Amino acid sequence: MAVYRHIFTPLKVGKVTLKNRIEVAPMMPMIASSDCGVGLEMIEWTRALARGGAGLVTLGDTCVDGNLSLAVGHVLTLGFDRAVNDLNKLVEIIKRYGAAASIEVSYHIADQSYTPTRLSLREIKELIDLYAAAAARAMHAGMDMILIHGAHGHFISQFLSPERNQRTDAYGGSFHNRARFVNELLAAIRDKVGDNLAIAYRISGDELVPEGLHFEEQLAFVKTIVDKIDLIHVSAGKLYADQTLKRMFQPTYLPRGLNLELAARFKREIEIPVTTVGGMDLDLAEEAIAAGKADMVAMARGMIADPECVKKAQRGERDKVRPCVRCNTCIDRAHSYYLPVRCAVNPLAGREAEVQLARPAAVQKKVVVIGGGPAGMEAAWRAAERGHQVVLFQKDDQLGGNLRYAAAAPFKKDMQKYLAWAIRKTNSTPNLTVRLSTEATAENVAAEKPDSIIIAAGSTPIIPDLPGIERENVVWAGDVEAGRAVVGETVVVAGAGLTGSETALHLALQGKKVFLIDRLSLAEIDKAIPFFNIIVLRELLQENKVVTCTEVELEAITEAGVKIRDREGASKEIPCDTVILALGLKPRQEMIEIFAGLAPDIYVAGDCNNLQGNLYKAVSEGFYAAMDI
């Protein structure tokens, strides 16, 4: 408790007093029903977040226009009176666990040609009425707070923008006129709800593009609305500018809390409470509040990774908090593809309605797990927690498998924390015996007399049959990251996927001259990687002078370097000291045959059965294997 003394102090916002300074930030999990109703999935998702101990739970991105909500589907809405009944179910759940209930309201149209300039005066009045009616519905549903989304270039923020708002009437031109719309909107909401709802406003402290809104203008704007709101919620960036997405969805390659200093600047200038959001964790939250940089900290991805993180922190169990790796699997699925939310490290996220899967086993069984990578560890401790007797065979002297290589670079601190957590969890779970430096064989597995076997034996690197591939200066990327390979000053990395690109960046940061080559185009390579991550990784590679050559074939490794051939058939040589192979991994499917028939039930999980494995697949498959026993 003493470690997190500041985040566990109450905070008054309007009439509501929050039990602590942590907010479950608004999210768009895409698990409402197709007609925007609240079903079991949404109820149990909300329950998990509320039960975890945060002082405020904010339901996310809820449109004030019912027809816009229906056009998307699977999102909450405040556009119809019937929404009150559904939202009240969620309010009851949130308050049952002592948290205050909040809802983020928005009006977002992706069509960039749709600007405030196009609206008639009648349409402006109708939009204000939509917000006021939505606020009234939130109040009738029992909400304590409403968060108006005016950040990230959302439509209402565009009224303040001289670039987006070209009006010449009372809603355009001067700063005062451009601020008029939001002031009238907030006044209309307050007129509807009085002080029964606290009103928060979400803003981009800086839109981070030359033509965007910057801090000074945003601060001046906030000072015009401060008498109508109870809290300011500070983010950054603009949805329409890809280069700013990294500040909204900060990936693992960037430091945490990049928006905190913007929040601190607002806090120095205004009297109402200030919330910061963006890549925060509990340690950083404590530091921020202790330093007076913010009054409250909003977290989304950390809450998805471990909904119980606040309670664990309050009990002094910080080592038990499952870390978020900031891989953005959750955001990429929901925002890019409108798929239900999932998490790479928490397989129950978005599947809370299936929580019965994790119930204790009806019959205790002997389970052998082969492989101690992320799939094997997840399978082993989950099966053991259900009451099975589990033995895990790991051929190396450490747990982790290929995840050790993926976590090795200094900019992969999030993954390093997760790996350490997974190893601690595996080693500390009762009913689970870990046998390190023990290769699983048909004989020693059979000797355990298993009822079930989970094969999570991982994968091996793809080594192409090319002239010169046997040279001593040709090494695998995993050996480089593990520190087992000597690397020269000029390097060619073959394979520009995630592994190769991260290896290239790691070496470039050491001052090496790096060439990154691949037979595919970047567009083909990058489509398999969350967009919010890859734009940052490509930027960093460029900043660190990595030379990227795509749509070329690796022909041979020579004494002087590598020979490559482009799509027109022209060959050239790149001089280098070391060639690093990052051409992917192949499943160890032969392991499945070795253990066939040694137990009544055999399951396969992770890279040994995936052509394109990743942490999300490994953990999910390990989890389901354990649940199915």
Side-chain angles (χ1 to χ4, degrees):
M1 180 71 176
V3 175
Y4 297 110
R5 181 167 56 88
H6 293 87
I7 62 175
F8 288 114
T9 56
L11 176 67
K12 194 172 189 327
V13 181
K15 285 177 62 176
V16 62
T17 299
L18 309 177
K19 64 182 178 181
N20 60 50
R21 307 296 184 98
I22 300 297
E23 174 189 6
V24 175
M27 295 174 262
M28 189 178 74
M30 297 301 295
I31 54 174
S33 63
S34 59
D35 62 353
C36 303
V38 170
L40 186 59
E41 280 188 321
M42 193 74 202
I43 286 171
E44 294 307 321
W45 158 267
T46 304
R47 186 191 311 279
L49 295 171
R51 189 172 50 207
L56 180 67
V57 176
T58 301
L59 303 174
D61 220 356
T62 309
C63 191
V64 300
D65 186 318
N67 291 324
L68 285 180
S69 305
L70 289 172
V72 176
H74 303 289
V75 294
L76 296 176
T77 186
L78 273 167
F80 305 111
D81 287 342
R82 62 178 170 82
V84 173
N85 181 289
D86 273 344
L87 292 176
N88 180 253
K89 298 172 187 175
L90 302 182
V91 168
E92 286 185 338
I93 289 168
I94 292 168
K95 294 188 176 183
R96 172 180 171 181
Y97 297 102
S102 171
I103 189 164
E104 178 188 59
V105 296
S106 65
Y107 180 82
H108 177 59
I109 296 178
D111 180 2
Q112 287 217 52
S113 68
Y114 188 79
T115 70
T117 311
R118 287 178 51 176
L119 268 62
S120 67
L121 291 176
R122 177 181 58 80
E123 289 171 325
I124 286 177
K125 176 65 166 60
E126 288 173 351
L127 184 54
I128 289 173
D129 289 344
L130 280 176
Y131 271 89
R137 292 180 185 117
M139 177 181 67
H140 294 315
M143 291 288 172
D144 299 296
M145 188 182 302
I146 188 169
L147 173 62
I148 312 300
H149 198 333
H152 305 157
H154 273 233
F155 190 74
I156 66 171
S157 73
Q158 295 177 32
F159 275 86
L160 192 65
S161 166
E163 181 218 3
R164 302 288 290 174
N165 181 357
Q166 300 290 318
R167 301 181 72 93
T168 57
D169 59 8
Y171 293 97
S174 70
F175 172 82
H176 177 76
N177 281 356
R178 286 182 282 116
R180 185 188 304 277
F181 172 78
V182 172
N183 272 274
E184 290 184 357
L185 182 151
L186 291 171
I189 289 174
R190 187 62 80 187
D191 186 58
K192 279 280 190 182
V193 304
D195 61 358
N196 295 308
L197 269 185
I199 300 176
Y201 193 86
R202 193 175 201 190
I203 194 168
S204 286
D206 195 310
E207 290 186 338
L208 304 172
V209 288
E211 70 279 7
L213 296 165
H214 301 296
F215 173 77
E216 291 75 15
E217 192 163 24
Q218 295 288 54
L219 176 62
F221 166 68
V222 168
K223 288 182 176 179
T224 74
I225 65 171
V226 74
D227 61 330
K228 302 176 184 67
I229 62 175
D230 302 293
L231 179 144
I232 191 73
H233 192 287
V234 182
S235 183
K238 191 174 181 181
L239 283 169
Y240 301 109
D242 288 351
Q243 67 269 35
T244 75
L245 295 178
K246 60 190 177 186
R247 292 288 287 270
M248 286 177 252
F249 314 114
Q250 297 167 18
T252 191
Y253 308 114
L254 297 177
R256 287 182 174 272
L258 290 177
N259 299 334
L260 177 57
E261 291 308 316
L262 283 171
R265 293 176 71 183
F266 278 98
K267 183 159 171 56
R268 288 195 292 267
E269 297 282 349
I270 60 176
E271 297 299 320
I272 61 173
V274 175
T275 297
T276 186
V277 66
M280 301 292 287
D281 61 17
L282 291 173
D283 289 344
L284 192 52
E286 175 66 19
E287 292 174 18
I289 294 170
K293 293 183 176 182
D295 298 287
M296 187 159 64
V297 171
M299 295 166 44
R301 290 171 294 174
M303 295 293 186
I304 297 174
D306 192 342
E308 298 282 326
C309 65
V310 177
K311 274 190 175 179
K312 289 175 181 177
Q314 197 162 18
R315 294 194 298 258
E317 298 174 343
R318 60 191 301 182
D319 284 350
K320 293 185 179 180
V321 174
R322 178 171 43 219
C324 167
V325 298
R326 291 195 294 163
C327 64
N328 283 330
T329 296
C330 52
I331 295 168
D332 191 52
R333 285 176 58 91
H335 286 245
S336 300
Y337 303 105
Y338 297 153
L339 295 171
V341 67
R342 296 291 185 261
C343 176
V345 300
N346 175 15
L348 274 175
R351 299 179 177 118
E352 290 83 2
E354 301 180 58
V355 72
Q356 67 271 17
L357 288 171
R359 66 190 182 281
V363 177
Q364 186 186 88
K365 294 183 177 181
K366 180 66 175 289
V367 178
V368 168
V369 177
I370 299 166
M377 289 190 288
E378 182 79 17
W381 72 258
R382 290 281 187 180
E385 280 197 343
R386 294 188 61 220
H388 298 302
Q389 290 295 321
V390 182
V391 175
L392 186 155
F393 287 90
Q394 168 63 8
K395 65 177 180 177
D396 299 327
D397 61 358
Q398 301 177 79
L399 291 170
N402 285 340
L403 191 60
R404 287 193 168 277
Y405 314 135
F411 49 80
K412 299 298 288 292
K413 287 184 173 61
D414 296 315
M415 195 69 82
Q416 292 163 17
K417 289 180 180 178
Y418 171 73
L419 175 61
W421 174 87
I423 292 171
R424 284 196 305 272
K425 181 69 176 175
T426 304
N427 285 328
S428 64
T429 300
N431 304 325
L432 171 53
T433 301
V434 176
R435 295 187 180 157
L436 297 175
S437 303
T438 307
E439 177 98 41
T441 65
E443 292 73 26
N444 59 17
V445 169
E448 297 292 335
K449 299 180 179 178
D451 300 299
S452 300
I453 298 172
I454 300 174
I455 303 171
S459 53
T460 56
I462 294 172
I463 309 296
D465 184 14
L466 292 173
I469 199 72
E470 74 289 344
R471 288 180 176 273
E472 290 186 2
N473 66 333
V474 181
V475 296
W476 173 50
D479 288 331
V480 173
E481 297 292 10
R484 293 193 295 260
V486 177
V487 178
E489 292 306 305
T490 303
V491 178
V492 170
V493 179
L498 201 56
T499 298
S501 295
E502 289 182 348
T503 302
L505 177 59
H506 190 184
L507 295 172
L509 290 169
Q510 298 172 30
K512 299 183 186 299
K513 176 66 176 176
V514 182
F515 294 86
L516 183 62
I517 66 172
D518 202 288
R519 64 183 181 84
L520 300 177
S521 68
L522 282 184
E524 293 173 285
I525 297 165
D526 293 352
K527 65 184 179 183
I529 304 169
F531 178 70
F532 316 107
N533 298 5
I534 197 61
I535 57 174
V536 176
L537 182 54
R538 296 291 175 221
E539 279 181 11
L540 290 170
L541 289 167
Q542 190 171 10
E543 288 171 13
N544 287 278
K545 298 180 172 54
V546 172
V547 179
T548 301
C549 305
T550 56
E551 300 183 80
V552 297
E553 290 281 352
L554 177 61
E555 285 190 302
I557 293 93
T558 68
E559 187 174 345
V562 300
K563 283 182 65 178
I564 59 173
R565 184 181 68 253
D566 64 24
R567 290 196 172 180
E568 282 70 46
S571 294
K572 74 172 184 177
E573 191 165 65
I574 302 176
C576 66
D577 305 312
T578 309
V579 180
I580 299 171
L581 302 179
L583 299 170
L585 300 166
K586 56 184 179 181
R588 297 183 68 198
Q589 292 182 321
E590 71 278 3
M591 299 294 284
I592 300 171
E593 298 177 13
I594 292 173
F595 303 103
L598 295 185
D601 295 309
I602 295 179
Y603 305 87
V604 183
D607 284 1
C608 68
N609 200 38
N610 287 312
L611 289 176
Q612 288 188 319
N614 55 33
L615 184 60
Y616 166 62
K617 285 184 181 179
V619 171
S620 295
E621 291 176 8
F623 170 80
Y624 274 120
M627 295 305 107
D628 287 342
I629 297 174

